[in-house]
Amino acid sequence: MTSSAAASTNASDFEFPVIAMIGTGNMNGAILAGLTAGRGDGAEPIRVTTRSTKSAEQFADDDAVLARAAEDDPEANREAVRGAGAVILGVKPYAIVDALEEIAPALDPGAVIISVAAGVELATMEAHLPEGAKIVRAMPNTPATIGLGATGIAAGRHADAEAMALARAIFESVGAVVEVPESGIALVGAVSGSGPAHVYLLIERMIEASERIGLSEEDARALVVQTFRGAVEMVARHPELEPAELRRRVTSPNGTTEQSVRVLVESGLEDRFEAALRANIARSEELAAEHR
C-alpha cells in the first residue's frame, strides 16, 4: 500500500467552493468549526442540514453558516447541495444510501462528494450516484474537534487531483491528512480512527498503576497526562529523530528506565499492538461487507 502526506495544502489559503454538509454530528461539527475559523467577510456561508429544528437553531446567529432542518423542510438536503462544489456526508453508515439517493438529482455534475461514514465502500456509494460522480472516502478521528485530527482520504474512480486537493484542504482545516488507496482506509481506521481509544486506554492503565504504587489520584493523573503530552510533542517537534532514538536518550544502560522498558517489551507489547490492529481491520472488513 502506498500513501502520501506530501504536497500539503495550506487550508487557510485554499479557495473553497460552496460547501454543503449533510448532518452535524461530532465529526461534521469539528470540520465545520475548522472551515469557519478565520473565514473572511463576504465568504459564502457553509450550508448545513440537521434533522431537528432545535439543532438548526444553534446556528441562527452565525453568519458563516446557513442551516436548514429536515424537520421543517423536506427539501432541506436537496436545497443544501444544489449549486455546491463540495458535499460532506456526515450521516450514519446505515443512512448513507438513502441520503445519496435523496440528493443525487440535485447535485451539480462537478460536485465532490466526501463521505466520513465508516464501512461504506466507494463502489457502494458510486452505485447510487450519477455516473462520473467524484467521490472521496475519508476516515477522520475525534481529535479533529480540537484541530488535531488525523485523516486518511481515498479517491473514488472519478475523483481527480483537483477533487483530492479540495478534500485535503477541508480536512487539513482540522489536522493532518494522508492520501491512501481505498484498501488503506481500514488500516487508517485501525491506526488513527480508533487510535485515540488505544491511547486513552494506555493513559487510563498508567494512571491506575501509578495509584497502586502509591501516588494520589490527582498527582497520578497530572503526571501521566503531562508525560504523554510532552512525549508526543517531542516526537512531533523532532521529525529528524526516530521515536526509538528518543527512547534510547531516556534509557541509561543498567538504569531505572531500562528495567521498566524491559518488562514492557518482554510482555509482548509489540505483538499485542499488531494483534489489536488486525482485529480492528477484520471488523472493518465485516462492516463493509454488510453495507455492500
Side-chain angles (χ1 to χ4, degrees):
M1 184 193 76
T2 59
S3 67
S4 174
S8 177
T9 304
N10 188 335
S12 62
D13 296 334
F14 195 88
E15 187 173 344
F16 289 102
V18 175
I19 296 174
M21 305 184 79
I22 308 301
T24 54
N26 289 340
M27 199 53 63
N28 259 13
I31 299 165
L32 180 63
L35 289 172
T36 55
R39 283 170 65 88
D41 294 337
E44 182 78 23
I46 294 176
R47 304 171 183 177
V48 169
T49 65
T50 67
R51 283 192 298 178
S52 70
T53 305
K54 184 177 180 180
S55 294
E57 287 174 349
Q58 67 182 303
F59 303 108
D61 298 322
D62 191 341
D63 294 336
V65 178
L66 175 61
R68 293 181 174 87
E71 186 176 65
D72 299 326
D73 181 6
E75 293 292 313
N77 288 341
R78 284 185 286 268
E79 285 300 316
V81 306
R82 192 167 282 118
V87 177
I88 305 172
L89 298 173
V91 300
K92 299 293 185 183
Y94 68 82
I96 279 286
V97 168
D98 288 344
L100 290 171
E101 291 183 345
E102 179 184 7
I103 66 175
L107 288 169
D108 271 16
V112 178
I113 299 93
I114 301 169
S115 170
V116 299
V120 184
E121 296 175 335
L122 289 163
T124 298
M125 292 184 281
E126 288 170 345
H128 297 277
L129 289 173
E131 178 62 28
K134 300 177 181 181
I135 308 178
V136 177
R137 188 176 168 192
M139 176 61 69
N141 66 2
T142 53
T145 59
I146 58 170
L148 293 173
T151 302
I153 56 175
R157 286 184 303 147
H158 304 288
D160 54 17
E162 184 178 356
M164 293 301 286
L166 172 57
R168 173 181 282 278
I170 286 171
F171 289 102
E172 282 183 342
S173 73
V174 291
V177 179
V178 299
E179 293 182 30
V180 296
E182 186 176 22
S183 59
I185 286 291
L187 280 64
V188 171
V191 173
S192 58
S194 298
H198 306 154
V199 175
Y200 301 147
L201 179 61
L202 291 174
I203 294 172
E204 179 186 355
R205 293 294 181 258
M206 195 166 169
I207 290 173
E208 291 171 351
S210 300
E211 291 178 43
R212 288 196 296 271
I213 64 172
L215 284 173
S216 70
E217 179 180 357
E218 182 180 5
D219 288 347
R221 179 183 175 89
L223 290 170
V224 171
V225 170
Q226 187 63 18
T227 298
F228 269 80
R229 177 183 290 171
V232 168
E233 191 63 21
M234 286 286 286
V235 175
R237 290 193 187 188
H238 295 283
E240 77 282 4
L241 298 175
E242 293 295 329
E245 174 59 24
L246 290 169
R247 172 173 56 82
R248 282 192 290 270
R249 294 185 180 191
V250 184
T251 310
S252 301
N254 298 315
T256 57
T257 305
E258 184 181 70
Q259 293 306 303
S260 54
V261 168
R262 177 183 58 79
V263 170
L264 291 171
V265 171
E266 290 179 354
S267 73
L269 191 63
E270 177 180 324
D271 292 339
R272 290 300 84 205
F273 266 112
E274 182 176 341
L277 296 180
R278 291 190 181 280
N280 190 297
I281 292 166
R283 180 55 180 153
S284 180
E285 290 170 348
E286 291 172 359
L287 291 172
E290 292 174 8
H291 290 291
R292 288 183 188 134

